[in-house]
Amino acid sequence: MTGEALASAFEEQRGRLVAVAHRMLGSRADAEDAVQEAWLRLARQDADTIDNLSGWLTTVVGRVCIDVLRSRKTRPEDSYDEPPELVILDDSPEEDALLAESVGLALLVVLDTLGPSERLAFVLHDLFAVPFAEVGEILGKSADAAKMLASRARRKVRGQRPADEPGQRAVVDAFLTAAREGDFDGLLRALDPDVTWRSQTRRGEIVRLGAAEVAIRAQRGARAVATSRPALVGGKPGVITWDKRGRLGGVMACTVVDGRIVAIDSVSDPRLLAAMGVTSLEASSSK
């Protein structure tokens, strides 16, 4: 294979490789570096000895990511700042698929609780459908061991839900229902009198204080929301919303204490939404 043909073949794989590395590392810059390292190794390799270029590159990127993650564990000062993670909630039989989808939408802050091997097994198999046999080869383990690692990772990811999340969710649902129905008294019942609402918008941060002001804003905002989907944002119950034109409206997270919402954090700035990985969600996927 000529150098030009090899470069072309690599570029065809680049998007997928960056996606894999991004979900492994949670940082776009680190993901790009991992993929660049794979290219450098490929350039030094006799391409004619590679039977499956896609698999070979996935293996290299996976091992580079493993090294980066292990390095972070020994040098925690190298951690990075990312937006809060977003996890879609659903209690249907398809929860496993939605769990994998949700992690793909997030920047994987939640996956920092996993060991590097667990993280790789979960990301490759559950997000990119890489067979356990291939995952095992990357990790230097058997297919059964890789399957066990992915299963353990799933349990840990699910475990990120707060123990009292159903109760908190009920408070948030009551707040949203009251907003949609224009029930001002219902909104006040769901809100702490000193509630704070911080909104990250195109114009910057907007802060609203007090139950009355927040209730008025919630009523107005509900008129512009056509659909919404429950979400767990940064470990807190919240929602993703779309407007009547089917455009992504924003992401909101609520802090609930003693049965009332004491704080609301919302993001409608498209740049921040893109950083959170939610721009690809479609209104048709909402419930």
PDB file of all heavy atoms in Angstrom, residues 31-47:
ATOM      1  N   ALA A  31      -8.126  13.026  22.986  1.00  0.00           N
ATOM      2  CA  ALA A  31      -8.572  12.064  21.976  1.00  0.00           C
ATOM      3  C   ALA A  31      -7.817  12.266  20.668  1.00  0.00           C
ATOM      4  O   ALA A  31      -7.361  11.310  20.025  1.00  0.00           O
ATOM      5  CB  ALA A  31     -10.074  12.199  21.748  1.00  0.00           C
ATOM      6  N   GLU A  32      -7.681  13.517  20.270  1.00  0.00           N
ATOM      7  CA  GLU A  32      -6.939  13.820  19.033  1.00  0.00           C
ATOM      8  C   GLU A  32      -5.484  13.371  19.164  1.00  0.00           C
ATOM      9  O   GLU A  32      -4.897  12.837  18.204  1.00  0.00           O
ATOM     10  CB  GLU A  32      -6.998  15.319  18.745  1.00  0.00           C
ATOM     11  CG  GLU A  32      -8.385  15.847  18.421  1.00  0.00           C
ATOM     12  CD  GLU A  32      -8.811  15.541  16.993  1.00  0.00           C
ATOM     13  OE1 GLU A  32      -8.046  14.884  16.266  1.00  0.00           O
ATOM     14  OE2 GLU A  32      -9.923  15.962  16.617  1.00  0.00           O
ATOM     15  N   ASP A  33      -4.889  13.571  20.330  1.00  0.00           N
ATOM     16  CA  ASP A  33      -3.504  13.138  20.552  1.00  0.00           C
ATOM     17  C   ASP A  33      -3.380  11.622  20.451  1.00  0.00           C
ATOM     18  O   ASP A  33      -2.406  11.106  19.877  1.00  0.00           O
ATOM     19  CB  ASP A  33      -3.026  13.595  21.936  1.00  0.00           C
ATOM     20  CG  ASP A  33      -2.783  15.091  21.999  1.00  0.00           C
ATOM     21  OD1 ASP A  33      -2.709  15.726  20.928  1.00  0.00           O
ATOM     22  OD2 ASP A  33      -2.666  15.618  23.123  1.00  0.00           O
ATOM     23  N   ALA A  34      -4.354  10.896  21.006  1.00  0.00           N
ATOM     24  CA  ALA A  34      -4.319   9.432  20.959  1.00  0.00           C
ATOM     25  C   ALA A  34      -4.404   8.936  19.519  1.00  0.00           C
ATOM     26  O   ALA A  34      -3.692   8.005  19.123  1.00  0.00           O
ATOM     27  CB  ALA A  34      -5.456   8.851  21.796  1.00  0.00           C
ATOM     28  N   VAL A  35      -5.269   9.558  18.736  1.00  0.00           N
ATOM     29  CA  VAL A  35      -5.422   9.153  17.337  1.00  0.00           C
ATOM     30  C   VAL A  35      -4.170   9.514  16.536  1.00  0.00           C
ATOM     31  O   VAL A  35      -3.740   8.760  15.661  1.00  0.00           O
ATOM     32  CB  VAL A  35      -6.682   9.803  16.730  1.00  0.00           C
ATOM     33  CG1 VAL A  35      -6.764   9.535  15.231  1.00  0.00           C
ATOM     34  CG2 VAL A  35      -7.936   9.268  17.423  1.00  0.00           C
ATOM     35  N   GLN A  36      -3.572  10.641  16.834  1.00  0.00           N
ATOM     36  CA  GLN A  36      -2.331  11.026  16.155  1.00  0.00           C
ATOM     37  C   GLN A  36      -1.223  10.029  16.469  1.00  0.00           C
ATOM     38  O   GLN A  36      -0.420   9.678  15.583  1.00  0.00           O
ATOM     39  CB  GLN A  36      -1.916  12.433  16.572  1.00  0.00           C
ATOM     40  CG  GLN A  36      -0.668  12.957  15.880  1.00  0.00           C
ATOM     41  CD  GLN A  36      -0.832  13.088  14.380  1.00  0.00           C
ATOM     42  OE1 GLN A  36      -1.966  13.163  13.869  1.00  0.00           O
ATOM     43  NE2 GLN A  36       0.280  13.098  13.647  1.00  0.00           N
ATOM     44  N   GLU A  37      -1.173   9.559  17.703  1.00  0.00           N
ATOM     45  CA  GLU A  37      -0.185   8.544  18.075  1.00  0.00           C
ATOM     46  C   GLU A  37      -0.415   7.261  17.286  1.00  0.00           C
ATOM     47  O   GLU A  37       0.548   6.599  16.857  1.00  0.00           O
ATOM     48  CB  GLU A  37      -0.264   8.267  19.580  1.00  0.00           C
ATOM     49  CG  GLU A  37       0.647   7.149  20.073  1.00  0.00           C
ATOM     50  CD  GLU A  37       2.133   7.422  19.851  1.00  0.00           C
ATOM     51  OE1 GLU A  37       2.510   8.612  19.748  1.00  0.00           O
ATOM     52  OE2 GLU A  37       2.907   6.439  19.779  1.00  0.00           O
ATOM     53  N   ALA A  38      -1.687   6.912  17.082  1.00  0.00           N
ATOM     54  CA  ALA A  38      -1.994   5.726  16.277  1.00  0.00           C
ATOM     55  C   ALA A  38      -1.493   5.900  14.845  1.00  0.00           C
ATOM     56  O   ALA A  38      -0.971   4.951  14.234  1.00  0.00           O
ATOM     57  CB  ALA A  38      -3.503   5.465  16.287  1.00  0.00           C
ATOM     58  N   TRP A  39      -1.643   7.104  14.304  1.00  0.00           N
ATOM     59  CA  TRP A  39      -1.150   7.369  12.947  1.00  0.00           C
ATOM     60  C   TRP A  39       0.371   7.237  12.878  1.00  0.00           C
ATOM     61  O   TRP A  39       0.916   6.650  11.936  1.00  0.00           O
ATOM     62  CB  TRP A  39      -1.577   8.753  12.484  1.00  0.00           C
ATOM     63  CG  TRP A  39      -0.791   9.246  11.299  1.00  0.00           C
ATOM     64  CD1 TRP A  39       0.079  10.274  11.254  1.00  0.00           C
ATOM     65  CD2 TRP A  39      -0.786   8.669   9.979  1.00  0.00           C
ATOM     66  NE1 TRP A  39       0.629  10.411  10.010  1.00  0.00           N
ATOM     67  CE2 TRP A  39       0.117   9.430   9.203  1.00  0.00           C
ATOM     68  CE3 TRP A  39      -1.453   7.602   9.394  1.00  0.00           C
ATOM     69  CZ2 TRP A  39       0.356   9.143   7.860  1.00  0.00           C
ATOM     70  CZ3 TRP A  39      -1.211   7.320   8.053  1.00  0.00           C
ATOM     71  CH2 TRP A  39      -0.312   8.090   7.303  1.00  0.00           C
ATOM     72  N   LEU A  40       1.060   7.761  13.877  1.00  0.00           N
ATOM     73  CA  LEU A  40       2.520   7.671  13.890  1.00  0.00           C
ATOM     74  C   LEU A  40       2.980   6.212  13.943  1.00  0.00           C
ATOM     75  O   LEU A  40       3.941   5.820  13.260  1.00  0.00           O
ATOM     76  CB  LEU A  40       3.082   8.447  15.084  1.00  0.00           C
ATOM     77  CG  LEU A  40       2.875   9.968  15.047  1.00  0.00           C
ATOM     78  CD1 LEU A  40       3.379  10.596  16.336  1.00  0.00           C
ATOM     79  CD2 LEU A  40       3.587  10.570  13.838  1.00  0.00           C
ATOM     80  N   ARG A  41       2.279   5.414  14.728  1.00  0.00           N
ATOM     81  CA  ARG A  41       2.634   3.999  14.805  1.00  0.00           C
ATOM     82  C   ARG A  41       2.315   3.279  13.500  1.00  0.00           C
ATOM     83  O   ARG A  41       3.058   2.395  13.071  1.00  0.00           O
ATOM     84  CB  ARG A  41       1.895   3.336  15.969  1.00  0.00           C
ATOM     85  CG  ARG A  41       2.295   3.881  17.334  1.00  0.00           C
ATOM     86  CD  ARG A  41       1.666   3.082  18.461  1.00  0.00           C
ATOM     87  NE  ARG A  41       1.918   3.713  19.756  1.00  0.00           N
ATOM     88  CZ  ARG A  41       1.587   3.183  20.927  1.00  0.00           C
ATOM     89  NH1 ARG A  41       0.985   1.990  20.963  1.00  0.00           N
ATOM     90  NH2 ARG A  41       1.842   3.812  22.044  1.00  0.00           N
ATOM     91  N   LEU A  42       1.205   3.675  12.877  1.00  0.00           N
ATOM     92  CA  LEU A  42       0.844   3.067  11.593  1.00  0.00           C
ATOM     93  C   LEU A  42       1.886   3.402  10.537  1.00  0.00           C
ATOM     94  O   LEU A  42       2.251   2.551   9.717  1.00  0.00           O
ATOM     95  CB  LEU A  42      -0.529   3.558  11.153  1.00  0.00           C
ATOM     96  CG  LEU A  42      -1.035   3.051   9.794  1.00  0.00           C
ATOM     97  CD1 LEU A  42      -1.167   1.527   9.804  1.00  0.00           C
ATOM     98  CD2 LEU A  42      -2.371   3.704   9.435  1.00  0.00           C
ATOM     99  N   ALA A  43       2.357   4.658  10.550  1.00  0.00           N
ATOM    100  CA  ALA A  43       3.342   5.088   9.554  1.00  0.00           C
ATOM    101  C   ALA A  43       4.644   4.301   9.678  1.00  0.00           C
ATOM    102  O   ALA A  43       5.376   4.149   8.695  1.00  0.00           O
ATOM    103  CB  ALA A  43       3.607   6.586   9.705  1.00  0.00           C
ATOM    104  N   ARG A  44       4.927   3.796  10.894  1.00  0.00           N
ATOM    105  CA  ARG A  44       6.150   3.012  11.099  1.00  0.00           C
ATOM    106  C   ARG A  44       5.939   1.518  10.846  1.00  0.00           C
ATOM    107  O   ARG A  44       6.889   0.747  10.863  1.00  0.00           O
ATOM    108  CB  ARG A  44       6.661   3.215  12.531  1.00  0.00           C
ATOM    109  CG  ARG A  44       7.082   4.641  12.848  1.00  0.00           C
ATOM    110  CD  ARG A  44       7.867   4.701  14.156  1.00  0.00           C
ATOM    111  NE  ARG A  44       7.052   4.306  15.288  1.00  0.00           N
ATOM    112  CZ  ARG A  44       6.381   5.162  16.070  1.00  0.00           C
ATOM    113  NH1 ARG A  44       6.428   6.468  15.809  1.00  0.00           N
ATOM    114  NH2 ARG A  44       5.682   4.728  17.093  1.00  0.00           N
ATOM    115  N   GLN A  45       4.696   1.149  10.611  1.00  0.00           N
ATOM    116  CA  GLN A  45       4.346  -0.256  10.441  1.00  0.00           C
ATOM    117  C   GLN A  45       4.298  -0.615   8.964  1.00  0.00           C
ATOM    118  O   GLN A  45       3.962   0.210   8.112  1.00  0.00           O
ATOM    119  CB  GLN A  45       2.960  -0.513  11.075  1.00  0.00           C
ATOM    120  CG  GLN A  45       2.450  -1.926  10.976  1.00  0.00           C
ATOM    121  CD  GLN A  45       3.093  -2.843  11.994  1.00  0.00           C
ATOM    122  OE1 GLN A  45       3.691  -2.372  12.958  1.00  0.00           O
ATOM    123  NE2 GLN A  45       2.986  -4.141  11.779  1.00  0.00           N
ATOM    124  N   ASP A  46       4.639  -1.872   8.656  1.00  0.00           N
ATOM    125  CA  ASP A  46       4.466  -2.375   7.297  1.00  0.00           C
ATOM    126  C   ASP A  46       2.985  -2.657   7.101  1.00  0.00           C
ATOM    127  O   ASP A  46       2.454  -3.652   7.602  1.00  0.00           O
ATOM    128  CB  ASP A  46       5.282  -3.654   7.098  1.00  0.00           C
ATOM    129  CG  ASP A  46       5.158  -4.196   5.677  1.00  0.00           C
ATOM    130  OD1 ASP A  46       4.401  -3.607   4.871  1.00  0.00           O
ATOM    131  OD2 ASP A  46       5.805  -5.216   5.385  1.00  0.00           O
ATOM    132  N   ALA A  47       2.292  -1.756   6.392  1.00  0.00           N
ATOM    133  CA  ALA A  47       0.842  -1.859   6.256  1.00  0.00           C
ATOM    134  C   ALA A  47       0.408  -3.163   5.600  1.00  0.00           C
ATOM    135  O   ALA A  47      -0.707  -3.644   5.841  1.00  0.00           O
ATOM    136  CB  ALA A  47       0.313  -0.674   5.457  1.00  0.00           C
TER     137      ALA A  47
END
